[in-house]
């Protein structure tokens, strides 16, 4: 009945995903390729989780 009041978990994950990508970009600009790779890997894991939520 009050489904419109429930927050969408994929929106929160999407925001975190975008933040991780931005952090990875900044790390790459600063020349920290190790941090860039780590942050990109975390972002991809979040993207996969978002895709799972959307498909179900």
């Amino acid at each position: 009945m009050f489904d419109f009041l429930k927050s969408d978990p994929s929106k929160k994950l999407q925001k975190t995903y975008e933040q991780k990508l931005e952090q990875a970009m900044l790390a790459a600009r600063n020349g920290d390729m190790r941090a860039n790779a780590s942050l990109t890997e975390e972002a991809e894991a979040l993207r996969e989780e978002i895709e799972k939520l959307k498909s179900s």
Side-chain angles (χ1 to χ4, degrees):
M1 181 172 169
F2 291 105
D3 288 337
F4 65 91
L5 294 176
K6 294 181 182 179
S7 63
D8 186 12
S10 65
K11 286 184 182 181
K12 185 176 181 179
L13 286 175
Q14 182 69 31
K15 185 175 180 180
T16 306
Y17 170 70
E18 291 171 3
Q19 288 174 344
K20 290 287 182 186
L21 285 179
E22 185 175 351
Q23 290 172 355
M25 177 197 59
L26 292 174
R29 282 187 181 172
N30 291 330
D32 191 357
M33 291 300 136
R34 193 168 290 175
N36 178 29
S38 174
L39 289 166
T40 303
E41 186 177 335
E42 291 175 20
E44 289 303 312
L46 287 170
R47 185 187 58 78
E48 289 174 6
E49 194 170 335
I50 291 168
E51 291 298 323
K52 285 180 187 177
L53 284 173
K54 287 185 178 181
S55 67
S56 63

